[in-house]
Amino acid sequence: MVSEAIHFLRSLTDPDQLINLLSTVLSGWIGYVALFLVVFAESGMLIGFFLPGDSLLFTVGVVAGAGKLPIGATIAMLAVASILGDGCGFWLGSTLGYSLFQKTNSRIFRREYLERTHEFYEKHGGQTIIYAKFLPIIRTFAAFIAGVGKMRYARFLLFNVVGAVGWVTSMITLGYLLGNVTLVRRNFEKFVLGIVVVSLIPAVLQGLKARKKSTVAP
């Protein structure tokens, strides 16, 4: 059962296998629903951190470039899936997550952490939500933490939409444009890994910048 699940997830990040899935097991509307649910769960459901995100979108772009998926409709559908997934994560954080920090005698979920989280998201929450979209695993929890920190939903929604549209569009478009390049197809896994590494650069730079400020500050 586990091996079958792993094989299925790997199939989602291989263009030829994904094309085969969409033409057999996941043919028709079932394929669209499957892609929607994967992006939805990976974006905001806390159990979806192990699901493919960047690699899936890039692969979807390759498949669209091969004429097997309509690129415009697919980008729109998966952007909505990401927006709704983060919305669900935000709701879980603002209800279940927030209640955990209301216990004054808790050693792990201390109220002071809640206050710090709230202050952080009020000050940096917008760019954090956008950056998180391009960071594997982190994007799964960013919306939940924003909910815990009681970030204003209107503000969260704005940056959620911007981040989701930017992330889905850029990853799928890259796959669409580069998927048929011989060098990319021969080194597909390495290229996808490279995209993930590049997506980490803004967060690393931001972290170094914040560390430098804290070191310089008296």
Side-chain angles (χ1 to χ4, degrees):
M1 191 69 175
V2 175
S3 60
E4 292 177 355
I6 294 175
H7 176 72
F8 173 73
L9 293 177
R10 287 180 177 174
S11 299
L12 296 178
T13 58
D14 181 280
D16 295 327
Q17 292 188 46
L18 182 57
I19 290 174
N20 181 59
L21 278 176
L22 294 175
S23 60
T24 54
V25 181
L26 301 178
S27 61
W29 64 269
I30 298 177
Y32 290 102
V33 171
L35 293 176
F36 184 97
L37 291 177
V38 171
V39 173
F40 174 86
E42 200 269 350
S43 293
M45 301 300 291
L46 302 181
I47 59 172
F49 65 90
F50 64 90
L51 295 171
D54 300 322
S55 54
L56 170 63
L57 294 180
F58 186 84
T59 306
V60 165
V62 176
V63 174
K68 302 300 182 180
L69 287 171
I71 185 169
T74 302
I75 287 175
M77 178 189 71
L78 296 184
V80 170
S82 181
I83 292 169
L84 293 179
D86 266 9
C88 183
F90 183 89
W91 177 80
L92 288 173
S94 63
T95 53
L96 176 62
Y98 184 78
S99 65
L100 293 175
F101 287 89
Q102 291 302 294
K103 299 177 181 179
T104 56
N105 60 346
S106 175
R107 294 183 178 180
I108 300 178
F109 304 102
R110 299 175 65 176
R111 186 170 294 181
E112 64 182 275
Y113 298 157
L114 177 61
E115 294 171 354
R116 291 177 187 174
T117 303
H118 176 74
E119 291 175 1
F120 176 83
Y121 269 90
E122 283 300 307
K123 186 176 182 180
H124 306 288
Q127 62 184 12
T128 301
I129 295 298
I130 294 177
Y131 284 152
K133 284 294 185 182
F134 296 86
L135 302 176
I137 299 179
I138 294 177
R139 67 171 154 263
T140 305
F141 298 97
F144 178 84
I145 297 173
V148 171
K150 287 297 179 179
M151 182 180 183
R152 286 174 290 129
Y153 181 73
R155 188 164 182 258
F156 166 80
L157 180 61
L158 172 63
F159 290 104
N160 180 26
V161 171
V162 172
V165 172
W167 174 55
V168 172
T169 301
S170 61
M171 290 296 106
I172 292 181
T173 301
L174 274 175
Y176 184 84
L177 296 176
L178 301 177
N180 290 320
V181 176
T182 303
L183 180 63
V184 174
R185 291 302 292 266
R186 287 179 177 176
N187 302 277
F188 190 76
E189 292 183 357
K190 295 179 181 178
F191 192 82
V192 171
L193 180 61
I195 291 176
V196 174
V197 171
V198 170
S199 70
L200 292 171
I201 293 177
V204 172
L205 293 177
Q206 188 70 17
L208 292 174
K209 183 179 178 181
R211 184 177 180 181
K212 184 178 180 180
K213 284 183 177 180
S214 63
T215 303
V216 174

